[in-house]
Amino acid sequence: MKFLWYCLLCLVLLGQSSCRVSRQRPSLTLLDTLWQSAAFQHHHAGLMILDADTRKVVYQHNAERYFVPASNTKLFTFYAGMKMLGDSVEALRYVVQQDSLIFWGTGDPSLLNPNLPSTKVVDFLQSRPEKLYFWPGNPLLKPYGPGWAWDDYNDYYQAERTSLPVYGNVVRFTRKSAQSVQANPSQFRYTLDTLRRDFQVRRAETENLFYGTKAPIPLRYEQDVPFRTSTEVTLQLLSDTLQKPITSLPAFTSKVYQPLRSVASDTLFKRMLQPSDNFLAEQILLLVCARLEQPFDPGTAIDYMLNNHLRDLPDAPHWVDGSGLSRYNLFTPRSIVALLEKLLAEMPRERLFPLLAVGGQSGTLRNSYRSADRKPYLFGKTGSLSACYNLSGYLLTKTGKTLLVSFMNNNFNRPTSEVRKEVERVLTAIHEQY
């Protein structure tokens, strides 16, 4: 008889436990059947969801496995900038020696950048009575990161890295008439010499020679094409803008200097995160190097962050660049969620959320995750490469919960749009049901 009562008690407790789990996690039915979808059948997928308030794992699938993060890497670059750069960006450093002003770059990408309007450096250098000398700094800085595609040299998203960028290290071509375009900076020209169906400007691989196709120029045509950087090109462009000569100084060192600041750091972060600007991400790591008083080497900034501020990540990342252009980068969903938790703990959400892409409103999420009441519920960072689509960020549910989410997809052989739509379907359902 005692044994019978014991069995009945166990059945009652099991039933209560089952009901309790069902009430607390109503979205698990959706997630458990997620991997049966055709969109996820044949590729590497991982998902981690953490409740921000309770710090309990809501769901995980392959959360400990490594994925190519693409532009989700920028979340780590953002954290590095937030920890190291302060409220505003150090534009350049300088010393005055008698009748000479010697200046050098810190990696600040805002100088004459059409996407980050700031005139502080130009105004400063124009107003100085001294002769201007420029020290280019570390000559070993490579223009491209490890694993970048060599044949993307013509694409706006792969501008070269330099200590003192000008014009974002790109030439912006815009329509002047149906048969001609204008370039900014205007020192660059293009020649019509190829026949294509659509108008496009292409640069010679190793020279600053630009060629336009013989096709009608669209009314709203605009194209950014990276130019080949060098100290000579930088000085020519800057001298022409200042209308003052600048001399290159091959060798120089000084531990004492004056800093000049430019844009607010949050302005830089927002422009980097929302449209996913690769160039700004790369330059942020150079700014961190300058802050550490180290030569320009993105690996130095990465190692510093991993050894000092990210030592407690659950899985050590393989992190090689600032933008995520390299497929050498490898992160796990649970390490990305751990970073999201750090950001939320160290920044007020009133500051953090508007810097990210906002569902239905801004950045790479402006055309998705729209709610009927127009209240945004997803704030995050997308990451796309060929056969790679990831989304990590903060998901607000209708019951008032804040979920930290990292949904990673690699190695699929179908259009990215299909995977992106399926990710949206799943996260929207969690927003509505959890």
Side-chain angles (χ1 to χ4, degrees):
M1 181 63 69
K2 290 182 179 180
F3 179 78
L4 178 60
W5 279 108
Y6 177 79
C7 291
L8 289 173
L9 179 62
C10 289
L11 288 173
V12 170
L13 291 175
L14 284 172
Q16 290 176 345
S17 174
S18 175
C19 292
R20 183 163 58 249
V21 170
S22 178
R23 283 197 301 271
Q24 289 180 346
R25 304 171 75 180
S27 63
L28 283 188
T29 301
L30 165 73
L31 294 172
D32 286 336
T33 60
L34 169 64
W35 316 113
Q36 299 173 16
S37 166
F40 300 104
Q41 282 290 301
H42 303 292
H43 71 260
H44 188 38
L47 175 61
M48 175 79 169
I49 304 176
L50 182 78
D51 188 310
D53 296 321
T54 65
R55 300 190 66 192
K56 291 183 178 179
V57 175
V58 175
Y59 187 83
Q60 58 181 330
H61 174 80
N62 287 341
E64 78 290 354
R65 297 190 179 182
Y66 285 89
F67 292 79
V68 175
S71 284
N72 274 200
T73 305
K74 292 184 177 72
L75 290 169
F76 288 79
T77 302
F78 169 43
Y79 186 69
M82 185 273 292
K83 296 293 287 187
M84 300 298 298
L85 300 187
D87 294 336
S88 60
V89 175
E90 195 175 15
L92 54 78
R93 295 170 176 175
Y94 68 95
V95 296
V96 176
Q97 296 181 352
Q98 298 178 353
D99 65 343
S100 301
L101 186 146
I102 303 167
F103 68 97
W104 59 97
T106 60
D108 174 29
S110 69
L111 178 55
L112 299 171
N113 190 321
N115 298 320
L116 288 171
S118 173
T119 63
K120 290 186 178 180
V121 171
V122 171
D123 293 344
F124 172 76
L125 293 177
Q126 281 183 331
S127 67
R128 301 299 302 199
E130 301 91 353
K131 297 177 182 178
L132 299 180
Y133 292 86
F134 171 65
W135 176 50
N138 180 14
L140 300 179
L141 174 63
K142 295 181 179 180
Y144 292 160
W148 289 13
W150 69 267
D151 55 347
D152 285 349
Y153 66 87
N154 199 76
D155 294 311
Y156 73 94
Y157 55 77
Q158 196 163 293
E160 298 181 2
R161 309 178 297 192
T162 55
S163 66
L164 185 69
V166 287
Y167 295 95
N169 287 350
V170 298
V171 186
R172 174 162 292 179
F173 292 96
T174 54
R175 184 182 190 269
K176 188 175 182 180
S177 69
Q179 289 78 38
S180 64
V181 299
Q182 56 187 9
N184 182 35
S186 58
Q187 290 86 344
F188 295 101
R189 297 286 188 271
Y190 82 101
T191 303
L192 288 172
D193 76 336
T194 59
L195 182 62
R196 291 169 58 98
R197 183 176 301 174
D198 300 320
F199 183 81
Q200 184 185 46
V201 173
R202 293 200 61 82
R203 193 199 80 207
E205 181 183 344
T206 59
E207 300 177 85
N208 284 322
L209 301 176
F210 298 87
Y211 303 95
T213 54
K214 295 178 181 179
I217 302 171
L219 185 63
R220 300 184 183 278
Y221 167 79
E222 181 179 280
Q223 183 183 357
D224 289 347
V225 182
F227 59 78
R228 288 299 305 269
T229 61
S230 66
T231 299
E232 293 72 26
V233 169
T234 297
L235 291 188
Q236 179 187 350
L237 295 174
L238 190 54
S239 296
D240 288 351
T241 299
L242 299 175
Q243 296 296 298
K244 297 174 70 173
I246 305 175
T247 303
S248 176
L249 197 63
F252 177 77
T253 183
S254 176
K255 294 183 178 180
V256 180
Y257 56 81
Q258 294 293 322
L260 178 70
R261 296 194 170 273
S262 59
V263 298
S265 296
D266 279 3
T267 301
L268 179 62
F269 298 151
K270 187 173 185 177
R271 178 67 199 181
M272 184 262 289
L273 290 167
Q274 290 198 356
S276 201
D277 192 309
N278 293 330
F279 175 68
L280 299 189
E282 296 301 329
Q283 296 298 135
I284 285 173
L285 289 187
L286 300 188
L287 284 164
V288 172
C289 290
R291 180 69 179 82
L292 295 171
E293 304 289 347
Q294 295 295 319
F296 291 121
D297 179 0
T300 299
I302 290 170
D303 289 344
Y304 178 84
M305 292 302 299
L306 292 177
N307 293 330
N308 291 275
H309 298 292
L310 296 171
R311 295 178 63 184
D312 56 346
L313 292 178
D315 307 294
H318 189 242
W319 179 14
V320 303
D321 69 8
S323 61
L325 274 172
S326 177
R327 292 184 183 271
Y328 297 165
N329 290 304
L330 291 172
F331 294 82
T332 67
R334 67 182 180 185
S335 282
I336 294 180
V337 165
L339 179 75
L340 294 172
E341 195 173 16
K342 283 178 175 290
L343 285 166
L344 194 59
E346 298 178 32
M347 296 180 69
R349 64 177 63 197
E350 294 79 14
R351 176 191 172 196
L352 172 60
F353 286 5
L355 296 178
L356 299 163
V358 180
Q361 293 190 3
S362 63
T364 55
L365 295 175
R366 65 184 178 278
N367 295 322
S368 54
Y369 299 93
R370 292 175 173 169
S371 60
D373 59 6
R374 297 186 179 180
K375 291 182 180 180
Y377 62 88
L378 184 64
F379 306 84
K381 184 73 201 74
T382 58
S384 300
L385 289 170
S386 175
C388 175
Y389 179 76
N390 310 307
L391 175 57
S392 300
Y394 305 92
L395 179 66
L396 309 184
T397 72
K398 285 191 173 181
T399 60
K401 293 183 179 294
T402 299
L403 304 179
L404 313 185
V405 178
S406 182
F407 201 157
M408 308 189 76
N409 298 271
N410 283 189
N411 301 333
F412 48 81
N413 188 22
R414 61 175 63 242
T416 300
S417 59
E418 292 183 14
V419 177
R420 183 173 59 245
K421 289 178 181 178
E422 191 68 5
V423 169
E424 181 178 3
R425 182 188 69 82
V426 172
L427 296 185
T428 300
I430 295 172
H431 156 72
E432 293 174 348
Q433 298 175 20
Y434 193 83

